[in-house]
Amino acid sequence: MAATYKEKAIVLRAYDLGEADRIVTLFTEGRGPVRAVAKGIKRTGSKFGARLEPFTLLDVILHEGRNLDTIVQTEIINAHAPIRADYGKYLFGEAMLEMIEKSLRENQTIPRLFPALCVTLDVLEGEVADPSLLLAAFDLKVCALIGYHPHLAQCLNCGRETAGEKVWLNLIGGGVVCVNCRAGLDDLIPLAPAALVLMNQLMALDMAAISSSRVSPALAVEILSIAFRFSEAFLERPLRSRAVVLNYLEKGAL
Ligand SMILES: [Zn+2]
């Protein structure tokens, strides 16, 4: 029998359906991604108001349906309006939401992923020295939580510690290989010592610390591209929002 349930959720995506309804993809705390319909949202005096916009954190009551669940009631916790009000923050935030959406199946839950997104959006909404570092860290941390922790300390092949050396990131193996072991391998990204150190820092530091970190713009873009390629290697597809972010950075909009 269909049941009604309550969740804390972040709106990943929302679009209008017909004259009155809105379809939303929610990332719920307890049930992972859920697709749901908000009926009559565009009518004057709708009880949902403008709350079902991407980035909004809310308490929501849903009714289970066969294809789509139905949103019964919502209560806003944080609208994250500063993210939507700032074009740059919005683009970086969109790339984070798409990363979550494309990494998980409907109703798939991964421990610690929901709080990780909440914390990251809270940080993104405030002062951020370089959003490229925040997005790169987010992508790498999501990979790690899902089970694709990048192996950066030792060569995947011979096990030798590689700190301070130039190494190559092996996208298929999910970690670095040393100069002796790279021959014959495809899908390698060269990693200079500075890039390797930064990747390790992004994995180790929390988001608040990363939000005040700064490196050269070239290194930040390099790390972001590497994080994109690393995560796309297991997602097995490019994400639309990332091309927009890279284009924005290329134009020097920051
Ligand atoms: Zn090796």
Side-chain angles (χ1 to χ4, degrees):
M1 211 174 76
T4 297
Y5 62 96
K6 186 177 178 189
E7 277 290 344
K8 193 170 279 187
I10 290 170
V11 178
L12 296 180
R13 206 146 66 88
Y15 61 91
D16 293 334
L17 179 73
E19 293 288 294
D21 300 342
R22 197 152 166 85
I23 303 286
V24 293
T25 303
L26 299 170
F27 181 35
T28 67
E29 186 172 29
R31 298 184 177 213
V34 167
R35 267 164 44 86
V37 59
K39 288 182 175 158
I41 194 165
K42 302 186 78 187
R43 258 179 243 129
T44 314
S46 155
K47 60 183 184 290
F48 299 118
R51 292 169 181 180
L52 296 177
E53 294 291 340
F55 304 109
T56 303
L57 172 66
L58 37 81
D59 278 321
V60 57
I61 295 172
L62 295 119
H63 192 69
E64 285 178 350
R66 211 154 49 139
N67 298 314
L68 284 177
D69 293 355
T70 302
I71 294 175
V72 179
Q73 200 181 314
T74 59
E75 191 175 336
I76 196 162
I77 301 170
N78 186 348
H80 288 301
I83 299 177
R84 280 196 304 277
D86 178 312
Y87 185 60
K89 286 183 193 287
Y90 179 82
L91 294 185
F92 285 90
E94 280 262 295
M96 292 169 183
L97 299 185
E98 193 183 9
M99 175 68 185
I100 295 289
E101 193 187 356
K102 298 285 163 64
S103 298
L104 301 181
R105 298 184 304 277
E106 265 185 68
N107 299 121
Q108 182 186 7
T109 57
I110 299 282
R112 292 165 53 209
L113 196 49
F114 184 81
L117 180 60
C118 290
V119 164
T120 306
L121 293 182
D122 287 347
V123 168
L124 179 64
E125 142 175 322
E127 283 286 318
V128 181
D130 188 336
S132 295
L133 295 182
L134 199 66
L135 178 54
F138 180 77
D139 281 359
L140 293 171
K141 287 172 193 286
V142 170
C143 287
L145 288 174
I146 289 173
Y148 295 85
H149 198 293
H151 298 283
L152 302 174
Q154 287 139 352
C155 172
L156 284 176
N157 190 48
C158 68
R160 194 161 61 78
E161 295 205 7
T162 53
E165 291 176 27
K166 180 171 184 177
V167 292
W168 285 261
L169 187 62
N170 176 359
L171 293 177
I172 293 167
V176 296
V177 291
C178 73
V179 64
N180 301 324
C181 299
R182 73 186 173 106
L185 291 173
D186 294 328
D187 280 327
L188 294 182
I189 303 174
L191 269 187
L196 182 60
V197 166
L198 181 56
M199 267 184 96
N200 274 312
Q201 284 173 343
L202 295 181
M203 294 301 299
L205 293 174
D206 66 30
M207 288 307 199
I210 291 166
S211 73
S212 56
S213 304
R214 215 181 259 285
V215 298
S216 76
L219 182 57
V221 171
E222 185 188 347
I223 283 294
L224 184 59
S225 306
I226 290 169
F228 284 173
R229 286 186 64 187
F230 185 83
S231 49
E232 281 169 9
F234 84 82
L235 292 172
E236 294 179 337
R237 53 183 160 172
L239 304 193
R240 194 170 17 91
S241 58
R242 294 178 169 183
V244 183
V245 167
L246 291 176
N247 189 34
Y248 175 77
L249 291 171
E250 235 168 62
K251 287 181 179 156
L254 283 176

